[in-house]
Structure formats: structure tokens, C-alpha cells
Amino acid sequence: MIANAALAQDRQLILVGNLIPDAATGPVGPATLVVIDGKIVEVTTQREIDKAGVADAMEADAVINLRDKTVMPGLIDLHVHLTGDPGGDFWKEATEPAEWGVVVGAKNALLTAKAGFTTVREAGSSQYSAFSLRRGTADGIIPGPRIIAAGPALAIVGGHGDVSGFTEDINKVLTSGYSCTGAVQCAEKVRKASRAGSDVIKITATGGVLSQQGRGLEAQFTNEEMRSIADTAHSLGLKVMAHAHGARGIEAASRAGIDTIEHGTFADEAALKVMKTNGTAMVPTLMAFQGVSEGLGKGIYTPVVEEKIRMTLGNVGKAVTSAKRLGVPIVFGTDAGVFDHGRNAEEFQLMVNAGLTPREAITSATTAAAKALDMDMEIGRIAVGYSADLIAFDGNPLDDVTVLEKVDWVMVRGRVID
């Protein structure tokens, strides 16, 4: 539930033990924050703490005492699936109504926010379920993070993201209506997604691990189709995120003008150099592979999927190491929904294991992720005028990123999440 939701409109004073305004700044010690109408309106550090703290506390509608905690900006996950839980993907299209995704999504939105993630990019859902969640969290009806929603992903007919694994008559009934063939039809589907309410366009540029289509993980859209998608989306002011595993599919997506590569599992030096040249960011989703590996041999996945999982596991993290070396932007995303929601912060240690410093890993989930969303003047740091998206915990994540796996207090848009 949302505690004291009405206080989003009042003057809240937050007493901070150790403030980290952003990853670049690092800890600055004790501070006070004033929040009004969901926005940060004052940030007072140690120099003024003695004079400002008591007086402000007397004038505040609410005082939140976090003197024994570290406080930093809320985290951003650029790849989640709030409307789904792990396992059973093959059958869900045939057994669960789309409305059930909103029920599941409400549960997962709360878990995600309580884990410290105050903004997420919903990377594929049924037609309106993520849009309903987006509105619910924005209005404070559903406790959860700010949601940037893609809606259904664009896919090739029979490819990853389209329905497959059933007989053709069943596939036809269950299809999302967003598969396309040819540049003209793909442009039409982008416009359809925009009309329906998508904040970002999601495409499946290559084959995928968890779909029933077992024909590999390389490019599925043609170059012309991907260019049409990127150009059309950009003309509408929308960015494009591309699920992509195989190196040549990654390279083609970047050349086409796609904004972010999701997963990037088999990205080689040639693909990464194209990404560097085009400014295409990588969203590694290392936790996705952690999650699927935990499900192997338990009857969760079909033999087709298990074979693809085993094929990818030996490469997890290698592309991240190479991307850092070549200067490719790396931004935070987990693919939560493939694993249990609420575990998102476990991605940080996996990124560090792949070669990022703690500061780089935290930047990827704050200022860098905000920039990828074109929201870097609203979220990703603690500063006057920014959204009051805050988390509190013990310790210093710049020394040990695992402290972010246990967040004690969360505020989203000025609302405290319980």
C-alpha cells in the first residue's frame, strides 16, 4: 500500500544520514531534503544542516527521519515484464486472459518499487495491460514505479515475439496483431503502437531464447524493415528497443538506427564497433540468464527452450566486458519476469563481475538510464526540480553494490511505498 499518499501534495522534510546525489558525486554526508508536490525543492548539505534542519522540521507537514541511512536516487530498470512471472510462457497465451496481466502486474509493481526501482521500462506486454499499470502507478492507485511502457513487441511472422508452438489455427487466434512483413507494413505497426499508447517501440530483431521457435538467434527482420521501424518511430518522437542476441542481428539493428540493444549476448567486436559509432546503448539483462539457468531441468521449459538456454549460458557477460573496453554505452536492465520480480538489484554484482566498477554499474541505473529515456532532467539524481524518487539503505554501494539488494525505504514521486 501507499503510506500517507496525500503527503505527495504537502511539505515533507527528509533527514538524511549520508546523501549520494548521484554516482559521480558520491557520498556528501548528512543532508536535508524538502519535497513538495512530488518534487525536490530544497537540498541542504552539512554546511547548513544545523541552521536549517530544526527550523524546517517545525514547518513541515511530515518529517521522515533517515539519519541512520544512506539515501540516493531511485534506481531505473530499462527492461522488465511486470505483467508476467517466470515459467509457463508457452501456455499462457492460451489459458489466461489479458486482464490477468494487470492483476499480476500490480503485484509485481509493488515488489519492484520496494526493491528500490522507482522507474522501469516495461519491455513487452499484452495490448493494454502495461498501459493500465502505467496509469495506475502515475495516479497513485497502484503502488509501484513510474512505468515507460512498450506494449506488444513488433515481430516477424512466426518469430520471437509472435505466437508459435501451436497449430496454425491457434497461432492465428492468439497473435498480438503486431507481426509484420516488409517496410511498409512494419511502419504501419509502429504507427498502430503509437496510436495505442506506446511510450517506446519494442522489436524482436533476432531470435529469442524463451520462444518455441528453435531456428537460431540471428537476425529476423530485414535491414529495410528495421530501418523503416526506426525511422517511423523517430518521426513520432519514440525510441526503439531491440531484443537482439546474435552478432549480425545486433549490428544490423544498430546500423538501422535502433536506440538500445537488449541482451546483446553474442555481440562481437564488429557489432560493438557499429554500436559505438552509432551511439547505440547495450542493456545486458544478465539476471535473465541467471534466472533461466535456475529453471533448467525442472520442467519449466520445453526441450526446444532448454537447448537454447544451454547454448547461451557460456557467453553471459562476455559482451559487457568487450562493450566497456570499446566504449559502448551500457545501461541497466534485467528482464525481470524471466526471474522473480524484486531481485532486480542482483544485476549490479553481475555487472561488476563482467568488468564494470561499482560506480559505473550504479551510473548505468541512474543518470545513464535516465539519459537513455530522455528523462535526465527529471530522474536519475537528487537535485532541485527533480522527481522525489528516493531510496534508503545501509552502507555505501560505491564500495559494495550488493547493499542495494536490501533497500529499507522507497519514495516514488513523493509517495512513500510500504
Side-chain angles (χ1 to χ4, degrees), residues 95-153:
T95 60
E96 294 177 354
E99 292 82 358
W100 182 244
V102 181
V103 177
V104 173
K107 168 184 71 76
N108 293 331
L110 178 57
L111 289 172
T112 301
K114 290 178 76 170
F117 289 81
T118 57
T119 297
V120 298
R121 189 169 62 174
E122 168 62 52
S125 63
S126 61
Q127 177 70 82
Y128 298 114
S129 56
F131 302 159
S132 297
L133 283 175
R134 177 181 64 194
R135 179 178 175 184
T137 59
D139 291 349
I141 298 169
I142 296 171
R146 175 185 292 98
I147 296 172
I148 312 301

Side-chain angles (χ1 to χ4, degrees), residues 243-254:
H243 157 106
H245 287 291
R248 303 288 68 80
I250 293 167
E251 182 177 344
S254 180

Side-chain angles (χ1 to χ4, degrees), residues 302-325:
T302 65
V304 168
V305 172
E306 285 220 354
E307 182 179 351
K308 289 190 287 182
I309 292 171
R310 296 181 194 281
M311 180 178 67
T312 60
L313 288 181
N315 289 273
V316 176
K318 292 180 180 178
V320 178
T321 306
S322 297
K324 176 183 173 178
R325 174 173 54 84

Side-chain angles (χ1 to χ4, degrees), residues 20-221:
I20 302 179
D22 61 46
T25 303
V28 298
T32 61
L33 309 176
V34 178
V35 173
I36 299 176
D37 195 19
K39 297 286 187 183
I40 299 168
V41 298
E42 291 181 31
V43 179
T44 308
T45 54
Q46 182 63 52
R47 290 176 311 193
E48 302 168 55
I49 201 83
D50 292 334
K51 182 176 76 171
V54 174
D56 280 353
M58 292 173 64
E59 299 171 6
D61 296 293
V63 177
I64 299 170
N65 188 349
L66 300 172
R67 284 287 191 221
D68 60 344
K69 300 293 179 184
T70 300
V71 173
M72 66 174 279
L75 303 169
I76 304 166
D77 191 331
L78 293 179
H79 195 121
V80 303
H81 297 278
L82 292 177
T83 62
D85 283 325
D89 290 346
F90 182 47
W91 304 109
K92 284 181 180 178
E93 294 92 343
T95 60
E96 294 177 354
E99 292 82 358
W100 182 244
V102 181
V103 177
V104 173
K107 168 184 71 76
N108 293 331
L110 178 57
L111 289 172
T112 301
K114 290 178 76 170
F117 289 81
T118 57
T119 297
V120 298
R121 189 169 62 174
E122 168 62 52
S125 63
S126 61
Q127 177 70 82
Y128 298 114
S129 56
F131 302 159
S132 297
L133 283 175
R134 177 181 64 194
R135 179 178 175 184
T137 59
D139 291 349
I141 298 169
I142 296 171
R146 175 185 292 98
I147 296 172
I148 312 301
L154 274 64
I156 68 165
V157 175
H160 185 69
D162 190 26
V163 178
S164 57
F166 299 97
T167 59
E168 272 304 292
D169 55 340
I170 302 300
N171 287 337
K172 184 176 180 180
V173 170
L174 296 177
T175 185
S176 70
Y178 284 86
S179 58
C180 56
T181 302
V184 173
Q185 191 178 59
C186 287
E188 178 190 4
K189 298 300 183 181
V190 171
R191 292 173 178 138
K192 177 181 177 181
S194 175
R195 180 180 67 186
S198 296
D199 297 312
V200 60
I201 301 300
K202 165 77 178 290
I203 74 166
T204 52
T206 74
V209 175
L210 296 184
S211 61
Q212 296 306 308
Q213 198 245 48
R215 297 187 181 90
L217 299 175
E218 268 301 348
Q220 296 198 331
F221 283 101

Side-chain angles (χ1 to χ4, degrees), residues 3-15 32-42 56-57 59-64 388 390 409 411-416:
N4 300 321
L7 294 181
Q9 306 297 322
D10 295 332
R11 189 173 193 271
Q12 299 161 278
L13 182 72
I14 304 172
L15 309 177
T32 61
L33 309 176
V34 178
V35 173
I36 299 176
D37 195 19
K39 297 286 187 183
I40 299 168
V41 298
E42 291 181 31
D56 280 353
E59 299 171 6
D61 296 293
V63 177
I64 299 170
L390 310 168
W409 177 90
M411 173 178 278
V412 182
R413 293 170 163 142
R415 305 184 186 106
V416 177

